[in-house]
Amino acid sequence: MGLLKTIEKIYGNDFHMDLWQLKIFKAVIDLEGFSRAAEAIHLTQPTVSSHIRDLEAHFGCRLIDRMGKTAKATRAGELLYEYADRMLKLAAETESAVAEFLGHISGQIAIGGSTIPGGYILPRQIGGFTRIYPEVRIRLHVSDTRQIIDEVLAGRLDFGMVGAEAESGHIVQKALIRDEMRLIVRADHPWADHREIELNRLCSQPFLLREPGSGTRKSLEQQLARAGLSMDGFTVAAELGSTASVIQGIKSGMGISILSPIAVEDERKSGSLKALAVTGLDLSRHFYLTTRRERTPSPASRALMDYLEKQMAPA
């Protein structure tokens, strides 16, 4: 029995604000609706509404504004949400710590990955980890580098893995695997038979860029700056919001791009896309294990980070 359910069983109706109610309240705010929250935590909508009414009666104020099918926290609700989030995380850490003391790792972990780590690297590693620790549940959120770092800073993710260095002093990063980005072209492109291409020739081709928050784009811009260049000299055909959309753009003949070879592994094996080095441009980077400096990791989170470092630390 989990800690939330244990508290509810012990105190019943006499415990007017229990963690279970806070979990329901947080779900309503996170999902912006009573019906979505009810579905997510496997309760009926009237039960969810009843718990929220009990909380509002306990505090003597409205905590949630109902606007049609959308639910938003009031100012008082925003304050309660901050404390509820901290209390629920502490409860989860408590369960993990007791489980570790008793000899096994368990609990829930929320982690994040930018496009390449989240889409290609972490899913492979998570499988191996959960075979060792089957009682750990992992939620993986995939977004661009900037968003993942923001989520780690906000405490909504236990840690992340991204392809660029953070600029915040509250973030701690450790370099893991090394990535060598490459120029990606279609198999029928005039350069497809080359092993490398000169940097100054890239400006003559339509180029596909990731969005500004992308670690791939940030790394490319940094390396161009070190070479005394910028994207201003490129013929940018489009800015696209995901690596997958860039790959499809290359395959459709929209242009060429610089990407991680990890993202086009299947296309390279099939021969539909080719990966070239760029003379005069260092396209190497690392993927960074990213944590918030002030946050103490739960035992389950620490175990996963240790596992990733062991599997992926650079030689």
Side-chain angles (χ1 to χ4, degrees):
M1 182 180 296
L3 186 59
L4 301 180
K5 291 295 187 181
T6 302
I7 289 174
E8 188 175 44
K9 182 177 179 64
I10 293 173
Y11 290 95
N13 293 331
D14 293 329
F15 190 65
H16 299 295
M17 186 194 69
D18 60 40
L19 292 178
W20 181 241
Q21 288 178 327
L22 294 180
K23 181 177 180 180
I24 294 170
F25 169 76
K26 185 174 183 299
V28 173
I29 301 304
D30 287 340
L31 298 174
E32 298 186 343
F34 285 74
S35 60
R36 288 187 290 272
E39 182 179 355
I41 55 183
H42 309 294
L43 295 175
T44 64
Q45 185 171 335
T47 300
V48 170
S49 298
S50 176
H51 280 295
I52 299 303
R53 284 196 299 271
D54 288 344
L55 274 177
E56 292 180 328
H58 174 75
F59 286 105
C61 65
R62 182 175 289 277
L63 298 170
I64 295 176
D65 284 328
R66 290 84 164 166
M67 297 175 286
K69 294 184 178 181
T70 302
K72 296 284 188 181
T74 63
R75 294 292 296 275
E78 290 175 354
L79 180 62
L80 177 61
Y81 182 92
E82 293 180 14
Y83 283 95
D85 185 53
R86 288 157 59 183
M87 292 169 70
L88 290 166
K89 286 175 180 174
L90 181 59
E93 289 177 15
T94 302
E95 290 192 4
S96 295
V98 173
E100 183 183 33
F101 176 78
L102 295 175
H104 61 274
I105 301 294
S106 65
Q108 298 185 31
I109 311 172
I111 67 174
S114 58
T115 304
I116 303 303
Y120 302 93
I121 299 172
L122 287 172
R124 299 172 187 172
Q125 299 296 334
I126 287 171
F129 176 82
T130 53
R131 283 192 291 273
I132 300 172
Y133 302 103
E135 295 183 49
V136 176
R137 292 181 56 192
I138 300 172
R139 176 173 61 85
L140 173 61
H141 174 62
V142 182
S143 188
D144 63 42
T145 290
R146 180 185 298 166
Q147 182 64 32
I148 295 300
I149 291 173
D150 287 346
E151 293 289 297
V152 171
L153 277 170
R156 289 186 285 269
L157 294 175
D158 291 279
F159 67 86
M161 185 179 292
V162 299
E165 295 183 74
E167 297 174 356
S168 170
H170 295 286
I171 289 291
V172 176
Q173 291 183 300
K174 183 171 184 177
L176 295 183
I177 60 176
R178 184 182 178 91
D179 184 39
E180 295 281 348
M181 295 190 296
R182 289 288 182 264
L183 177 67
I184 308 300
V185 302
R186 281 202 336 179
D188 60 355
H189 191 277
W191 297 345
D193 292 332
H194 293 63
R195 294 187 61 183
E196 57 185 22
I197 201 77
E198 294 81 5
L199 173 58
N200 58 11
R201 298 183 66 186
L202 299 187
C203 301
S204 66
Q205 297 288 310
F207 200 88
L208 305 180
L209 271 180
R210 283 290 309 278
E211 78 284 2
S214 158
T216 297
R217 175 164 174 170
K218 183 176 181 181
S219 294
L220 175 58
E221 290 174 338
Q222 288 174 339
Q223 298 300 350
L224 285 171
R226 288 173 184 153
L229 300 171
S230 73
M231 291 304 308
D232 294 340
F234 283 64
T235 305
V236 178
E239 290 189 13
L240 301 171
S242 71
T243 296
S245 60
V246 173
I247 293 171
Q248 291 304 313
I250 298 170
K251 292 166 73 173
S252 69
M254 188 188 301
I256 63 176
S257 190
I258 289 176
L259 297 172
S260 169
I262 298 172
V264 293
E265 183 177 351
D266 291 341
E267 288 82 1
R268 291 168 62 209
K269 287 180 178 177
S270 69
S272 61
L273 295 179
K274 302 292 184 179
L276 291 65
V278 179
T279 304
L281 191 63
D282 179 9
L283 292 175
S284 63
R285 63 173 176 174
H286 285 94
F287 293 117
Y288 297 92
L289 187 65
T290 301
T291 59
R292 184 180 171 93
R293 185 179 301 277
E294 301 87 352
R295 182 168 186 172
T296 301
S298 68
S301 181
R302 180 71 267 168
L304 178 54
M305 288 192 288
D306 289 344
Y307 178 85
L308 294 174
E309 289 181 25
K310 182 178 178 180
Q311 296 294 317
M312 297 189 291

